[in-house]
Amino acid sequence: MNANIRRATILASVFIAASVVFANDARAEEPKSAALVASLLSKDLTGIPGKEAVMLTVEYPPGGSSAAHRHDAHVFVYVLAGSLRMQVDGEPAVTLTTGDTFYENPEDVHRVSANASDTQPVKFLVVMIKDKGKPSTRPVEQAP
C-alpha cells in the first residue's frame, strides 16, 4: 500500500474513534436540543506519539446549541451549511456561515456553540488533534 494512502487511512481511523467519544460527550451537554454527530475518522498520528486526530460532522437543529465546554485539543471547524454562532472565553462571539472557519486552542473554554437560525439547521465539519485516550469534550461551569 502506498505510504500516502496508508497515512490517510490511519488518519481517517483516528478521526472516527475520537468522533465517537465526542458524539457521546456532546449529546450529554446539549441544553436546547441534541446535536446530530457523525463520526468520520479517528487516527493515531504517525510521528507524533500520544496524539490522535478526529474528524466528525455536527448538525444542530434550528435553535440548537451545546452547553459551555472545552476540548483540550486543537479544534478546526468548517461550516458546511447554515449559520453558526461561536465564542471562546476572552474573544467576541462570531457568526459563521457556509465556508467560514473557526479555531479553538487546547486552553480555550468554548462558551457559545449554537445554531444562529431558529428556522434552518446548521452543519459543520470538526477536526481535532488531541491526546490519545482522553475525552474529546468535557463540560465546564456556566459562569465565565
Side-chain angles (χ1 to χ4, degrees), residues 30-122:
E30 306 303 330
K32 289 187 180 181
S33 52
L36 176 62
V37 179
S39 299
L40 302 175
L41 181 70
S42 179
K43 198 70 177 160
D44 290 348
L45 295 176
T46 304
I48 309 175
K51 294 292 184 180
E52 62 185 355
V54 177
M55 180 184 287
L56 52 111
T57 58
V58 178
E59 186 172 348
Y60 290 142
S65 65
S66 66
H69 60 277
R70 64 183 307 146
H71 298 291
D72 299 324
H74 293 277
V75 180
F76 302 87
V77 173
Y78 179 79
V79 180
L80 298 167
S83 59
L84 179 66
R85 284 187 27 247
M86 300 287 264
Q87 182 181 24
V88 295
D89 282 356
E91 298 294 328
V94 295
T95 299
L96 309 170
T97 59
T98 303
D100 288 340
T101 60
F102 188 80
Y103 169 76
E104 294 175 57
N105 74 54
E107 292 80 34
D108 283 337
V109 172
H110 196 167
R111 197 59 60 181
V112 176
S113 179
N115 188 336
S117 172
D118 289 328
T119 61
Q120 299 295 315
V122 63

